[in-house]
């Protein structure tokens, strides 16, 4: 059943910016709402509507990072990276990390954590193209779909967001009607069905979005390979990145 917790509902903030990946918002938003959490959308500006890249989802901020404190919430979801340019967002997440609030991050959202300087000594995952940035921030990069290190939960790619959301719900002790694995590393569970329940997207749509993200990573690395770098430091960096390139799959 949906949450039977008689105490005050868990408060979770989702940090958003315009031109987000639709299901990276929709999956955690619907999953949290169905589990009885009180969800607030935090943006950079009020009275502005944010639109997803696929044109399926739009949302309006309930508050901005300047109007709330980390203590107002039990958890935070960061599905976008472009909001990292907002210093109030960075300060809010720094405060949340210091208070050991639950923080769930997927894809480019890890860039917000990099800006906070709070990753040193943490085990995290993320997009392969951001691996060097993650390691330069002092974190230990783990090539798994989802990595949990205390209060910090990170997901590698868009296709992993449903596993991340499930982990966040269990961390916050929220109940969901679907039977899901206790272990986020369970590879036998059909996560796609849960994604459809929470995200309203078909398996094909989710696969297409995942492939788009993978192809974007591969294109960046392929373009980098073509650089004719004379500087030795640049050549060294180029070699490191090419050696760590992700597998490229056809859609």
């Amino acid at each position: 059943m949906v949450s039977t917790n008689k105490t005050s509902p868990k408060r979770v903030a989702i940090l958003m910016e315009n031109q987000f990946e639709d299901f990276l918002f929709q999956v955690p938003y619907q999953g949290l709402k169905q589990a009885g959490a009180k969800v607030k959308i935090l943006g950079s500006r009020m009275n502005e509507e944010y639109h997803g890249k696929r044109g399926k989802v739009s949302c309006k901020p309930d508050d901005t990072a300047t109007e709330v404190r980390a203590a107002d919430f039990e958890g935070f979801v960061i599905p976008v990276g472009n909001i990292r340019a907002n210093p109030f967002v960075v300060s809010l997440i720094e405060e949340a990390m210091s208070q050991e609030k639950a923080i769930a991050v997927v894809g480019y959202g890890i860039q917000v954590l990099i800006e906070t300087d709070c990753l040193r000594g943490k085990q995290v995952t993320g997009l392969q193209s951001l691996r060097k940035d993650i390691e330069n921030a002092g974190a230990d990069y783990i090539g798994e779909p989802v990595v949990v290190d205390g209060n910090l939960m990170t997901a590698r790619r868009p296709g992993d967001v449903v596993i991340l959301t499930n982990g966040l719900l269990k961390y916050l002790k929220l109940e969901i009607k679907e039977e899901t694995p206790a272990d986020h590393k369970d590879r036998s569970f059909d996560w796609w069905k849960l994604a459809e329940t929470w995200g309203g997207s078909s398996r094909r749509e989710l696969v297409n979005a995942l492939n788009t993200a993978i192809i974007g990573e591969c294109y960046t690395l392929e373009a980098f390979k073509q650089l004719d770098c004379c500087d030795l430091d640049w050549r060294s960096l180029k070699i490191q990145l090419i050696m760590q390139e992700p597998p490229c799959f056809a859609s």
Side-chain angles (χ1 to χ4, degrees), residues 111-150:
Q111 292 175 317
V112 177
L113 271 295
I114 290 172
E115 290 292 325
T116 67
D117 289 330
C118 294
L119 286 181
R120 189 165 302 280
K122 296 288 187 180
Q123 290 191 333
V124 303
T125 191
L127 292 167
Q128 183 71 20
S129 59
L130 297 177
R131 177 171 180 167
K132 292 305 293 184
D133 291 339
I134 291 169
E135 291 177 337
N136 287 339
D140 184 12
Y141 182 91
I142 309 295
E144 294 286 339
V146 172
V147 172
V148 178
D149 187 345

Side-chain angles (χ1 to χ4, degrees), residues 3 24 34-35 39 41 80 150 160 169 206 209 220 223 233 247:
S3 176
L24 288 187
Q34 290 180 29
V39 184
I41 300 169
V80 294
D160 304 320
L169 296 182
L206 292 173
T220 300
D233 289 338

Side-chain angles (χ1 to χ4, degrees), residues 69-84:
R69 301 171 303 158
D72 296 332
F73 303 95
E74 279 73 51
F76 293 83
V77 179
I78 313 176
V80 294
N82 52 356
I83 202 169
R84 71 187 184 280

